[in-house]
Amino acid sequence: MATCTYQTPFGYRCPLEEADATGLCILHTKNESKDGTAFMEALRGKIRHDVEDTAAQEVRLDGVVFPGPLVWVEVVRGLPTIAKPISFQGAAFSGAANFWGATFTGAADFTGATFTGAADFSSATFTGAANFSWAAFTRDAGFWEATFKGRTLFQHTVFPTEEAKGSVDFQEIAIEKPEEFFFEDVALSRVPFLRTNLARVQLTDITWARKPERFTPWVRHNVVYDHLEMEQEEKSHKEQG
């Protein structure tokens, strides 16, 4: 049987066997009816291979199309500890992606990944570099109490900016190297940072929430989203007496 035709622009090619007429393996095919059990078996096998292969410098899950909900702790249960960098470059998460409490010992690369369902990285620990550049979150994105210990990139990352489409949470995150934590060309207009220290974090070309002046409401200035939330809560409390 032929080898999967998936290949990245930088030369990585999937070593698995093709699974259907598209020439792609079960990890990379976009067939919505692909067998979930077979997919999970192949996914776990790929992770185990890359972890145990001394010639493999990282775990390569580039371009994997994850069908339905994903609970990362269930994927890696019973597998060898992933001490290498792991790449999800260009991966597509079609259902909820649950990385709650995950520990990424090596670098974690989500460059260009798409999250169609909710994505939860709450309480996750990124020991090495974390890259979410060009990633697209179309629903809820949670990073509550996540810990970032290395260089972290949110460059050109897409977050939902309308309430109906989802919320984003960066509350109470721990940033050990703020001078190496980058938000660039990102809309943070609906992103709370309550109890998160943004001092020395690199913020460039940010779209912030806009607050109208009290006596000149047609004049607006940039604020962190938390200010609007706190004002709304205060107003609600007053209305309730």
Side-chain angles (χ1 to χ4, degrees):
M1 187 173 290
T3 303
C4 177
T5 58
Y6 177 84
Q7 185 172 355
T8 70
F10 303 103
Y12 167 75
R13 182 164 183 171
C14 177
L16 302 186
E17 294 182 349
E18 65 177 14
D20 55 31
T22 65
L24 298 170
C25 70
I26 193 168
L27 296 185
H28 291 107
T29 180
K30 297 179 181 179
N31 186 346
E32 296 180 355
S33 62
K34 62 184 176 182
D35 185 271
T37 300
F39 171 86
M40 184 62 70
E41 182 180 347
L43 177 64
R44 286 170 53 82
K46 182 65 166 63
I47 294 171
R48 180 184 292 277
H49 173 272
D50 289 356
V51 169
E52 296 180 343
D53 183 2
T54 56
Q57 297 183 348
E58 58 186 316
V59 176
R60 302 300 298 260
L61 300 180
D62 306 60
V64 171
V65 179
F66 293 88
L70 170 76
V71 181
W72 186 246
V73 66
E74 294 181 1
V75 172
V76 298
R77 181 177 290 122
L79 293 179
T81 300
I82 303 176
K84 297 179 179 180
I86 185 167
S87 175
F88 293 93
Q89 286 189 35
F93 299 88
S94 57
N98 186 344
F99 287 91
W100 186 92
T103 297
F104 297 94
T105 304
D109 191 350
F110 288 87
T111 301
T114 57
F115 297 85
T116 306
D120 189 2
F121 289 89
S122 300
S123 298
T125 299
F126 297 87
T127 303
N131 194 345
F132 288 89
S133 297
W134 301 102
F137 297 86
T138 57
R139 301 296 301 173
D140 297 340
F143 291 88
W144 177 70
E145 284 194 339
T147 299
F148 297 88
K149 297 187 176 183
R151 182 179 178 83
T152 302
L153 304 176
F154 285 92
Q155 296 175 313
H156 315 288
T157 310
V158 177
F159 291 126
T161 56
E162 300 176 22
E163 183 176 357
K165 293 185 178 180
S167 61
V168 186
D169 188 351
F170 275 92
Q171 299 182 78
E172 301 186 57
I173 67 172
I175 304 173
E176 294 195 2
K177 296 181 178 180
E179 67 280 357
E180 296 184 17
F181 195 110
F182 294 83
F183 282 112
E184 181 180 351
D185 189 21
V186 179
L188 301 178
S189 55
R190 296 195 65 256
V191 180
F193 288 95
L194 189 64
R195 289 184 289 277
T196 292
N197 187 355
L198 294 178
R200 293 186 295 134
V201 167
Q202 308 301 305
L203 299 160
T204 307
D205 295 332
I206 303 300
T207 300
W208 297 103
R210 302 282 287 169
K211 177 184 176 182
E213 294 285 354
R214 182 176 180 183
F215 299 108
T216 54
W218 59 87
V219 178
R220 295 172 175 265
H221 59 271
N222 294 337
V223 295
V224 177
Y225 181 66
D226 301 87
H227 290 286
L228 300 185
E229 282 198 321
M230 287 186 288
E231 284 188 353
Q232 186 60 38
E233 289 182 7
E234 183 178 353
K235 179 181 178 180
S236 178
H237 290 158
K238 288 181 179 179
E239 291 175 349
Q240 295 174 12

